Amino acid sequence: TLDGFKHNKSVNGVVQFNFLRFSQPGAFDLRFSIGDKYVAMVRVVVEPTGEEGLGPTGRCGQVYYPHLTSFNRGTNESVGQPAVSAGDEQVALLRWPQSVEALACVPVMEDAGFKISQGWGGDLWVWYRPAMEALETGEGLPQAYMDFYERLGVPLNANERKIKKAYYQLSLLWHPDRWASYPLYQRLAQDVFELVSEAYRLLTDPPVPKEPVVTGGDDSKGAYM
């Protein structure tokens, strides 16, 4: 139920959350743990909203998303098209009279990077990227709790060639430079890119274990330097 990326940091034991999104209204319990040790639980009540945002509960998102039929989750498992194409710009047609309700949301959509043009007879042409929906909901995206292979969408026995190929495809999709014209989504894409980059780096160039160094005589214990 808790969707999207959670940007947070801990300073002197205080955790600050930003961009925390829920897919629907209701009461939710957030449980905090450090390793296996339970720390605290906070109940969050999310009220229904009529705001004009683009999230799953946003009015404009509900108006536009059903008409953007080529939306997929931006993953290798997407049916009908590879992950990279989810980041390519596509166009959808909103025909009149369905386009009438969407007109009020044009400024909101354009601020987010959507390109919208009016056609004959009240139709609307919408240029967008299918991967926007995954960034909005967080569904199907790499997450910090995943192991490195899962983040890249490869099996545990994947060789280096498959790992590099998966990273290359995901980089084409999520590199923040490709989202420069979509400022609302660029920060979210940056988070995804950092997760897959970390996975690729540690799978292809894992850190070398430190060697013990003897710091005393024969009876001294080795110390890791």
Side-chain angles (χ1 to χ4, degrees):
T1 302
L2 182 60
D3 292 331
F5 282 87
K6 280 66 72 179
H7 308 276
N8 64 82
K9 60 182 178 179
S10 176
V11 179
N12 296 327
V14 177
V15 179
Q16 179 179 352
F17 285 92
N18 298 288
F19 304 105
L20 193 61
R21 296 181 179 181
F22 292 80
S23 62
Q24 61 191 46
F28 306 92
D29 292 328
L30 302 184
R31 181 185 177 92
F32 295 86
S33 302
I34 300 178
D36 296 330
K37 183 180 179 181
Y38 168 77
V39 177
M41 184 170 66
V42 178
R43 169 152 290 194
V44 177
V45 178
V46 180
E47 299 290 345
T49 176
E51 53 89 24
E52 296 185 347
L54 303 180
T57 59
R59 183 174 70 86
C60 292
Q62 294 183 43
V63 170
Y64 274 83
Y65 283 2
H67 301 287
L68 309 182
T69 55
S70 63
F71 263 7
N72 61 39
R73 301 302 179 186
T75 66
N76 291 331
E77 291 76 28
S78 298
V79 177
Q81 56 181 337
V84 175
S85 67
D88 295 334
E89 210 164 52
Q90 300 186 23
V91 62
L93 175 62
L94 278 68
R95 294 193 178 277
W96 188 89
Q98 287 81 10
S99 62
V100 174
E101 185 179 7
L103 281 172
C105 290
V106 168
V108 176
M109 305 298 286
E110 290 181 336
D111 286 344
F114 288 78
K115 301 176 182 65
I116 302 175
S117 298
Q118 295 192 32
W120 293 101
D123 297 341
L124 288 179
W125 293 92
V126 183
W127 281 262
Y128 68 100
R129 292 182 177 180
M132 287 174 168
E133 186 185 34
L135 290 175
E136 280 286 352
T137 65
E139 187 173 344
L141 294 180
Q143 304 287 348
Y145 65 81
M146 295 178 177
D147 63 52
F148 298 143
Y149 293 92
E150 190 176 5
R151 290 188 197 178
L152 296 178
V154 297
L156 294 176
N157 61 352
N159 56 30
E160 187 170 345
R161 178 175 173 272
K162 289 184 178 179
I163 291 173
K164 287 184 176 180
K165 181 179 180 181
Y167 173 68
Y168 174 73
Q169 291 180 332
L170 291 171
S171 296
L172 289 178
L173 178 57
W174 299 120
H175 196 288
D177 288 350
R178 289 179 54 84
W179 292 87
S181 58
Y182 297 88
L184 185 67
Y185 298 95
Q186 188 178 32
R187 171 66 184 273
L188 299 176
Q190 172 74 40
D191 289 340
V192 182
F193 181 70
E194 290 178 359
L195 287 175
V196 299
S197 295
E198 179 188 41
Y200 173 73
R201 182 178 69 256
L202 294 178
L203 286 176
T204 57
D205 187 21
V208 178
K210 296 181 179 180
E211 296 291 338
V213 176
V214 177
T215 58
D218 294 339
D219 296 330
S220 299
K221 293 183 179 180
Y224 285 88
M225 302 295 289

